[in-house]
Amino acid sequence: MTNRFVTNQLSRLFFVLLLTFAQQQNPTSLNAADREPADAGIDDWHLLEPFWASSTVYRESVLFLSEQGAPADARLLLTPKRIIHIGR
């Protein structure tokens, strides 16, 4: 593993943890249009399914980083065969 890969993975983890903490502190900060539908249950989140044991990765976050003025780029953890859905 390269240092850049490890740094990117740690940056992604920090970003996800930061967003999770911020959302717990102020759950009304999102617009109603950005929220999941009320009928979307916890099973729709696939939180208990390990990505390494599935053929589909759900809700993978991407953090775009720029190094030394270069255009920002981001990479997924795994190379997708096809993209099923991109959410915001």
Side-chain angles (χ1 to χ4, degrees):
M1 272 190 244
T2 64
N3 286 339
R4 181 175 180 186
F5 176 79
V6 173
T7 301
N8 284 343
Q9 295 305 315
L10 289 175
S11 296
R12 288 179 185 181
L13 177 61
F14 176 77
F15 185 71
V16 169
L17 291 174
L18 181 65
L19 287 178
T20 302
F21 179 75
Q23 183 61 24
Q24 289 174 351
Q25 296 301 314
N26 188 8
T28 60
S29 64
L30 293 176
N31 294 328
D34 293 340
R35 294 183 182 230
E36 292 290 324
D39 60 343
I42 192 72
D43 293 336
D44 294 334
W45 285 73
H46 304 277
L47 297 174
L48 299 178
E49 297 176 24
F51 69 89
W52 59 87
S54 174
S55 62
T56 305
V57 176
Y58 297 94
R59 301 184 180 273
E60 182 174 0
S61 297
V62 178
L63 175 62
F64 286 85
L65 298 174
S66 174
E67 294 181 9
Q68 301 175 350
D73 70 336
R75 296 192 178 123
L76 298 172
L77 182 62
L78 303 170
T79 303
K81 291 182 182 175
R82 74 184 169 116
I83 297 174
I84 298 171
H85 174 76
I86 297 176
R88 59 181 187 126

